[in-house]
Amino acid sequence: MSRQDTSDIVFRRILAVFPISILILVAGIFFQLVSSSQLSLHKFGIGFLFSRVWDPVAEQFGALPFIFGTCVTSLVALLLAVPIGVGAAIYLAEYAPPKVSKAISILVDLLAAIPSVIYGLWGIFVLVPCMRNNIQPFLGKYLGFLPFFQGPNYGVGFLAASIILAIIIVPFIISVSREVILAVPSVYKESAYALGTTRWEAIFDIVLSYGRVGILGAVILALGRAIGETMAVTMIIGNNVVISPSLFSPGYTLASVLANEFAEAATNMYLSALIEIGLVLFLVSIIVNILARVLIWSVTKGPGNVVK
Amino acid sequence: MKALIHTSFERTRLRRAIWDRAMVYILSLCALGILCILFLIIFHLFIKGVTSLNWDFFTHLPKPVGEKGGGMANAIAGTFTLLGLAVCVGVPIGLGAGVYLSEYADLKFAQTVRFIADVMNGIPSIVYGIFAYIVCVLPMKGFSALSGGFALGIMMIPMISRTSEQFVRMVPGQLREAALALGVPKWRVTVDIVVPAALAGITTGIMVALARVAGETAPLLFTAFGNHYWQHSLTQPIAALPLQVFSYAISPFDDWHRQAWAGAIVLILMVLLINGWAQFYVMSRGRWSAGK
C-alpha cells in the first residue's frame, strides 16, 4: 500500500510540473520582454508611447504612429465586421435550417483556418488593385468631403488593411456569437412569442439583450485578434510612419513594424525599442483577452464551452 | 374613434410584419456575403496558383531571379521539420498539463491555468517570435530551425492543454472506478486506462493545433528566418512554406508572384488536410467524444 502511495505522489508531482510551466512561461515572456527593452524603457520612459518620431538613424523612438495605426485599423475592421458577423450568427442560430446552419458553420471554420499570409497574398493581388481602381475612387467621389476619404489613392493603406482585418476576424465573431445566442434559454424567447411578438422582435429584444454581454465578449475577442494580426496587415498597409486622418494613407501598425524591421535592427537601442513595442502588444492583448474571457464566461457559464 | 385605433393598430402590425420579413433577408445576406468572400479567395487561389503547380514545384529548389521554374521543395521540407520540432515542445507540456488539470488539479488551480491558457492563446504570434528570438536566437548567436520550432511549439501548448483536458474529462468515471477497485494505483489508471481511452480526442486536438501553427509566418520571421537552399543542420536558418510565400509575394518579380500563389495552394491544402484528417479521426475512433 505504501509503495503505491509513493508512486502516486511522485507521479502527481511530476505531472504538476506541466501546468505550472504554462504559468511560468507567460511570466517568463513578460519578464524577458521587460528586461530586453531596458535600454529603451530607461531612455524614453512613458514618453515612448506619446512620441511621433521614429528615427532609427538618430536613435529617437516613439510608438505613437504605430499605436495610432493599430487603433485605426482594428476599429474600422470592427465597424465592418461586427454588424455582418453578428447578423450572420443570428441567421445561423435562429433562422437557418439545421443542415444549412451546419454546412455554413463548417465553411466559416474553413475561413478561420486560412493562414494570414494567404489573406495577405490575396490582399496584395486582388484587394489592393480593386481598392485602387474601384472602391477608393468611388469613396473619394461621393464621400470625399470627409477628411477620412481624402488624399492620394495608392490602394495600399489603412482602409485596405482594415478590410482584410475585417475578413480575418469575422469568423471569430460568428462562431463565438453563435455559441452565445444558442446559450440563451429558449424559455425567454417562447415567453416573448406568447406575448405576441414577431420573430425578429423576440430575437432583437429578448435574445440579443440577454446575450449582449457575451456578444460584447466576442467582439472584444475579435479586437484582440485584430490588434495582433501581423502578416496580412504588413503586406498591404503600405509601411509608412505617419499619423493621418485619411484612411487612404499608407500607415503602419505595432505588429507590422515588428515584422518589417525586427530582423534588420542593427543597434541595441533600435532592437530594444522594437522589443518595447512587442511588450506594448503583449500587455494590450493580455488586457483585451482577459476582458473578453470574463464577459464570455459570464454568459456561457464557465470556461468549458468556448475553446476558441 | 374606435376605427381610428383599429387602423393605426393594423398599420403598426403591418410595419412589424414587414420589418420581421425584411430581417430574414438582411440576416441571410450577411451569411451569404461571408460565403462569397470565402469562395472568392479560394477561386483566386486556384486560378492564379494552379498553373505554376507542377512536379518541379515539389522537387526543386527555388531558382535565382530571372530564371524560370524552380520550386519550394526545401520550404516544404522545412515546414515539416519545424512542425516536428514544435510537436516535441508542445505535445509533452500541453498533454501533461491537460491530464493534470483533468485528473488531479483542484478546481481553483484548474480554472486559473485554463484562464491563463486561454489568454495565452490570444497573445499575438509575433510576440512568441520575439520571445524565441530573445531566449534562443540571441544565446545561439544566429537564426535557426530550433528557435523557429520552439516558437511554434510554445504556441501549441495552450491549445493542446485545453483540448486534451476536455477529452480526458469526457472519459466516464466508471472506467476509473473499475480499475481503482481492482487495486491499480491511480497513476497507472491514468496512464493505462484514461489517457488511451481519450487518445482519439487528444490526437485530434494535437492535429488541430498543428494545422493552426503550420500556416504561421510571423513567429518565424526572425527565428527560422528562411533559406534558399537545403538546410543540413537544425542550428542553421531554415526555409518554411509560409515564409517563402510571404517573401515571394512582396518581391517585385512576376515569376515569384506565381510561385507564391502555388505555395499558397500547397499551404492551404496542407492545413485543410490536417484539419480534415483530425475531424475524420475523431469521428471514426472517438468513443467518448461523441458528445462534443
Side-chain angles (χ1 to χ4, degrees):
Chain A
M1 209 46 206
S2 72
R3 200 181 60 85
Q4 281 187 5
D5 280 346
T6 25
S7 66
D8 255 349
I9 290 168
V10 169
F11 183 72
R12 194 195 154 116
R13 292 259 163 87
I14 293 173
L15 209 56
V17 169
F18 297 113
I20 292 172
S21 69
I22 291 184
L23 305 181
I24 294 175
L25 192 59
V26 176
I29 293 175
F30 177 69
F31 175 76
Q32 288 291 355
L33 289 175
V34 171
S35 71
S36 303
S37 55
Q38 277 309 316
L39 270 179
S40 153
L41 279 170
H42 276 164
K43 185 168 175 198
F44 304 111
I46 192 78
F48 184 77
L49 300 177
F50 304 106
S51 160
R52 311 171 58 136
V53 184
W54 183 263
D55 186 350
V57 181
E59 300 214 324
Q60 284 302 316
F61 298 105
L64 195 62
F66 312 119
I67 295 173
F68 172 80
T70 297
C71 291
V72 168
T73 49
S74 317
L75 293 180
V76 175
L78 281 185
L79 226 54
L80 296 170
V82 169
I84 296 179
V86 174
I90 297 173
Y91 175 76
L92 292 182
E94 299 284 344
Y95 288 95
K99 270 190 185 155
V100 176
S101 176
K102 181 122 209 272
I104 298 181
S105 300
I106 291 175
L107 289 174
V108 168
D109 284 347
L110 184 71
L111 200 59
I114 298 179
S116 83
V117 70
I118 293 182
Y119 282 111
L121 184 71
W122 186 79
I124 290 183
F125 295 109
V126 180
L127 183 67
V128 166
C130 175
M131 296 294 292
R132 189 166 44 224
N133 302 329
N134 305 93
I135 299 175
Q136 295 197 158
F138 176 83
L139 288 173
K141 195 169 164 197
Y142 293 102
L143 297 169
F145 56 90
L146 295 169
F148 312 124
F149 302 114
Q150 288 169 358
N153 170 17
Y154 302 103
V156 296
F158 287 123
L159 192 59
S162 306
I163 290 176
I164 272 289
L165 271 181
I167 297 175
I168 292 176
I169 62 179
V170 104
F172 294 98
I173 297 182
I174 295 178
S175 61
V176 183
S177 325
R178 184 170 156 270
E179 205 91 25
V180 167
I181 293 169
L182 287 175
V184 177
S186 59
V187 195
Y188 292 103
K189 213 171 55 183
E190 285 154 16
S191 329
Y193 285 149
L195 290 173
T197 65
T198 62
R199 196 176 188 178
W200 169 244
E201 284 164 350
I203 291 169
F204 188 76
D205 296 333
I206 309 298
V207 176
L208 286 191
S209 85
Y210 186 96
R212 64 177 187 275
V213 177
I215 292 175
L216 186 64
V219 171
I220 296 177
L221 197 63
L223 176 67
R225 297 266 160 189
I227 290 172
E229 178 49 55
T230 311
M231 297 322 294
V233 173
T234 307
M235 290 161 89
I236 62 174
I237 198 166
N239 304 332
N240 182 18
V241 186
V242 73
I243 296 181
S244 149
S246 171
L247 293 179
F248 292 177
S249 157
Y252 234 146
T253 66
L254 289 169
S256 59
V257 72
L258 288 173
N260 266 328
E261 299 187 3
F262 200 93
E264 291 156 15
T267 63
N268 285 337
M269 180 57 91
Y270 193 5
L271 193 64
S272 148
L274 284 168
I275 292 175
E276 191 175 347
I277 285 186
L279 179 66
V280 172
L281 208 52
F282 174 81
L283 292 176
V284 170
S285 67
I286 292 248
I287 293 168
V288 165
N289 270 283
I290 287 178
L291 201 61
R293 295 292 163 191
V294 169
L295 291 175
I296 295 172
W297 284 8
S298 73
V299 176
T300 54
K301 300 282 181 307
N305 299 330
V306 181
V307 184
K308 295 189 179 80
Chain B
M1 188 64 193
K2 201 180 170 193
L4 192 69
I5 292 173
H6 186 70
T7 48
S8 90
F9 175 72
E10 275 300 311
R11 209 175 301 143
T12 341
R13 209 177 64 164
L14 188 67
R15 200 170 56 220
R16 288 169 62 205
I18 291 174
W19 197 230
D20 186 50
R21 199 74 222 135
M23 280 323 285
V24 181
Y25 293 113
I26 294 174
L27 295 176
S28 47
L29 268 183
C30 290
L32 198 66
I34 288 158
L35 291 187
C36 283
I37 290 173
L38 174 67
F39 287 127
L40 216 57
I41 292 174
I42 304 281
F43 170 78
H44 283 121
L45 264 182
F46 276 84
I47 290 295
K48 301 202 179 207
V50 115
T51 47
S52 313
L53 209 53
N54 48 30
W55 189 241
D56 279 5
F57 187 83
F58 294 96
T59 53
H60 280 63
L61 285 179
K63 286 269 170 65
V65 183
E67 283 182 50
K68 282 207 182 304
M72 293 194 182
N74 62 335
I76 295 170
T79 285
F80 281 111
T81 313
L82 287 168
L83 289 181
L85 290 168
V87 164
C88 296
V89 176
V91 171
I93 301 180
L95 181 59
V99 171
Y100 183 85
L101 292 183
S102 162
E103 300 297 299
Y104 292 99
D106 57 271
L107 191 66
K108 202 148 196 190
F109 181 69
Q111 269 187 342
T112 313
V113 176
R114 242 178 263 153
F115 191 84
I116 299 284
D118 276 354
V119 170
M120 215 179 141
N121 249 337
I123 297 176
S125 55
I126 194 150
V127 172
Y128 290 107
I130 298 176
F131 178 63
Y133 181 86
I134 296 170
V135 301
C136 287
V137 177
L138 286 181
M140 289 168 67
K141 296 195 171 34
F143 303 111
S144 66
L146 285 175
S147 55
F150 175 73
L152 296 184
I154 51 178
M155 288 186 65
M156 288 174 74
I157 293 173
M159 307 181 218
I160 293 178
S161 154
R162 292 289 271 125
T163 49
S164 46
E165 184 198 346
Q166 215 169 3
F167 284 108
V168 169
R169 215 175 263 281
M170 268 181 223
V171 174
Q174 293 98 307
L175 224 62
R176 298 186 184 85
E177 285 157 17
L180 286 171
L182 291 173
V184 183
K186 180 155 187 202
W187 72 275
R188 301 253 354 219
V189 176
T190 306
V191 174
D192 291 342
I193 311 283
V194 177
V195 171
L199 203 58
I202 294 173
T203 316
T204 307
I206 293 172
M207 288 198 286
V208 170
L210 260 184
R212 245 180 79 182
V213 298
E216 280 293 347
T217 319
L220 301 180
L221 284 170
F222 28 85
T223 52
F225 196 70
N227 189 340
H228 274 270
Y229 305 96
W230 288 106
Q231 48 284 326
H232 299 289
S233 149
L234 292 181
T235 54
Q236 297 293 315
I238 191 170
L241 203 47
L243 272 180
Q244 199 91 336
V245 171
F246 172 62
S247 64
Y248 275 19
I250 60 171
S251 76
F253 314 112
D254 281 344
D255 261 350
W256 282 14
H257 293 165
R258 277 194 285 277
Q259 294 271 346
W261 282 103
I265 290 190
V266 175
L267 184 61
I268 203 165
L269 284 181
M270 218 162 91
V271 170
L272 293 184
L273 277 180
I274 303 176
N275 259 325
W277 183 28
Q279 300 298 336
F280 173 76
Y281 194 78
V282 77
M283 271 194 283
S284 63
R285 301 279 295 281
R287 256 183 297 171
W288 286 288
S289 40
K292 173 79 173 62

